[in-house]
Amino acid sequence: MLLSHGGEPMRTAGPVARWTVEQVLALAPDDTSRKAGSKLGAAGPWSGGGCDDSGAVWGQCKGSGSKPYLTVIDTTGPAYKCSCPSRKFPCKHALGLLLVWASGESALPGGEVPDWAGEWLTGRRERSAEKAEQRTGADGAPPTGPADPEAARRRAERRAERITGGAQELEERLTDLLRGGLAAADQPGYGLWEETAARMVDAQAPGLAARVRELGSIPASGPGWPARLLEECALLHLLDSAWLGIDLLPEPLAATVRTRVGLTTPAEGPPVRDHWLVLAQYDIPDGKIVARRIWLYGKETGRTALLLSFGAAGRSPGLALPVGVTIDAELTPHPGSGRLRAELGRQFGVPSSTGTPPPGDSAAAATRAYGDALREDPWLDAWPVTLRDVVPVPSGDGWQLADAAGDAALPIAPAALSRPGLWKLVALSGGSPVTVFGECGHRGFDPFAAWSDGSGRSDGPTGAGDGAGAGNGTRAGTGSGTGADAGTGRADAASGTVPLI
């Protein structure tokens, strides 16, 4: 198995800081890998291991066969190579080796990289440097446009025509639905919605298809579903109408509409270099692929950025960054309202384990920020914010984050109530104020990361920056830890970010 990550870091004289156990476990692609990697997180199964100041970690893990598995990791990527047949990135052996490295075990002393590991490390770093040069050009300038811009224009026009046809058909189906009455919408079952979604896929409008599938799940969502179905139908009608009249929209809103219907737009504009703190990383199943979302916060610019990476069926997405580390890197934003989504470019130096949380704000300010964002993007499910001085408290059948001053509170989103991260947050707080990063939306606040009051913070405006994040409603994050080990949250927080998803 092999995972390469573009953007070759420049080597420095200083050693790479060891990660925490929380940061390592946050890289696991699923709970099964997390548990299997934890079993290999001691020195016993490993031999011939070591590490160096450039960020390389290597070791040989005894398996069921006669030959040990050879595992090597470049922590500056991070990137992994293992001789095992697993298709998960990182595999359990890479996770176990990282856990040994994070714990400072003597099984991984400093030393020279062995030939079997050095060959891969050298090749990976050379390929990364070549990719970086191809992205920027030999003279440092951005690459030119497509080789045949006229052919690209014709392809874009043909796809726009197909999407227009799909939007018109969808408008007819929404009209038929409302004419027949929402109360009977659950009678045809899910098949009708899936057929409509398939028609949107044929029209090359995957964004419309995803929203149609969400409509199909609402009739089975419990009491009050007709009102929720009407709300979602109205938003879908608004998106259809916006696409059909896209020529009349201002360009930022038009770019948002293109993204919402499923058109991909390349990153553009000058790259933004900053020291980016990795706030959260989680995966969302999306049909036959897996989408990975990584949240970053820029220390100097105050911007919040979202990186997206995708993996095919049975494979983890290629990009992975340990939660809580800070990377010196360039990000290039995508167009659209808010310009939050970005592409990761060149990295400079090696990741640092230090970093302070984004400046936070009150619960009332978070809802105002979400409301302001809705003016730019009416289909926005959630907005990234950082809450400062809040306390998790039970409320009825759920939980809420209450301002320490006691003048406002936000309910915790239902999706977060069943995750172990909630109990880690409660244990971290212990009744005292904490700083929490997450998404604030119409379903409540979904916490992704937290810091104790003593982990450092700076005063300033809300940490949402100047970007807009598109939550997708239903998300399946891979939380780490259990209720039994949640009590370790307060001790871990003193050294940085505590992942909650």
Side-chain angles (χ1 to χ4, degrees), residues 242 246 249-258 336-337 375-379:
I246 196 169
L249 301 178
E251 181 50 35
L253 182 56
T256 297
V257 172
R258 295 188 192 99
S337 299
R375 289 201 297 266
E376 301 293 330
D377 184 354
W379 306 278

Side-chain angles (χ1 to χ4, degrees), residues 418-424 427 480-489:
S418 59
R419 293 200 302 257
L422 172 62
W423 302 109
K424 294 170 67 177
S480 62
T482 64
D485 62 19
T488 63

Side-chain angles (χ1 to χ4, degrees), residues 8-94:
E8 171 65 4
M10 297 171 59
R11 301 297 156 196
T12 64
V16 177
R18 293 180 187 265
W19 302 342
T20 66
V21 171
E22 285 280 359
Q23 290 170 340
V24 174
L25 293 177
L27 291 173
D30 51 45
D31 192 55
T32 301
S33 298
R34 186 177 299 110
K35 293 178 180 178
S38 298
K39 295 179 180 179
L40 299 175
W46 295 96
S47 63
C51 59
D52 68 6
D53 291 347
S54 74
V57 182
W58 62 89
Q60 303 179 36
C61 184
K62 182 180 180 181
S64 57
S66 58
K67 295 183 178 180
Y69 294 118
L70 306 180
T71 307
V72 56
I73 302 165
D74 184 356
T75 60
T76 63
Y80 324 91
K81 183 179 185 300
C82 185
S83 59
C84 75
S86 174
R87 299 179 66 189
K88 296 181 179 180
F89 303 104
C91 67
K92 64 179 182 180
H93 305 101

Side-chain angles (χ1 to χ4, degrees), residues 174-473:
L174 288 175
T175 301
D176 292 340
L177 172 65
L178 296 176
R179 184 181 295 115
L182 292 178
D186 60 336
Q187 294 180 2
Y190 191 77
L192 177 62
W193 301 104
E194 188 58 38
E195 176 191 350
T196 304
R199 294 288 298 136
M200 297 304 104
V201 172
D202 293 340
Q204 294 186 294
L208 295 179
R211 288 189 168 270
V212 169
R213 290 192 179 98
E214 288 185 9
L215 291 182
S217 64
I218 293 177
S221 63
W225 67 263
R228 293 191 293 273
L229 181 60
L230 181 60
E231 293 172 356
E232 294 301 323
C233 286
L235 286 172
L236 187 53
H237 167 67
L238 182 64
L239 184 56
D240 282 339
S241 302
W243 172 262
L244 296 175
I246 196 169
D247 294 337
L248 303 176
L249 301 178
E251 181 50 35
L253 182 56
T256 297
V257 172
R258 295 188 192 99
T259 301
R260 290 299 182 184
V261 300
L263 286 174
T264 57
T265 54
E268 62 183 20
V272 179
R273 181 176 176 180
D274 204 340
H275 290 83
W276 302 94
L277 172 64
V278 182
L279 298 172
Q281 173 180 290
Y282 56 93
D283 295 345
I284 303 170
D286 186 7
K288 295 182 178 181
I289 65 175
V290 174
R292 174 165 294 167
R293 298 165 68 89
I294 302 177
W295 288 103
L296 306 175
Y297 172 75
K299 179 180 179 181
E300 284 79 22
T301 61
R303 297 180 64 158
T304 301
L306 174 65
L307 305 180
L308 293 181
S309 180
F310 301 92
R315 299 183 68 90
S316 301
L319 181 60
L321 295 174
V323 175
V325 304
T326 299
I327 58 174
D328 182 3
E330 293 178 340
L331 299 185
T332 303
H334 283 255
S337 299
R339 298 174 63 84
L340 179 67
R341 186 186 170 190
E343 294 293 333
L344 179 63
R346 292 188 61 193
Q347 296 185 47
F348 306 88
V350 295
S352 168
S353 60
T354 61
T356 57
D361 220 322
S362 65
T367 56
R368 287 195 299 269
Y370 175 51
D372 292 341
L374 284 175
R375 289 201 297 266
E376 301 293 330
D377 184 354
W379 306 278
L380 191 65
D381 283 327
W383 176 260
V385 296
T386 301
L387 300 178
R388 183 178 63 189
D389 293 336
V390 293
V391 180
V393 295
S395 175
D397 294 333
W399 286 77
Q400 61 182 3
L401 292 172
D403 285 336
D407 56 352
L410 282 175
I412 292 181
L417 296 178
S418 59
R419 293 200 302 257
L422 172 62
W423 302 109
K424 294 170 67 177
L425 176 60
V426 173
L428 174 68
S429 168
S432 300
V434 291
T435 297
V436 186
F437 168 79
E439 289 185 352
C440 178
H442 62 93
R443 295 178 177 87
F445 185 86
D446 200 350
F448 295 161
W451 302 261
S452 65
D453 193 51
S455 62
R457 69 166 191 251
S458 57
D459 295 328
T462 181
D466 60 354
N472 66 356

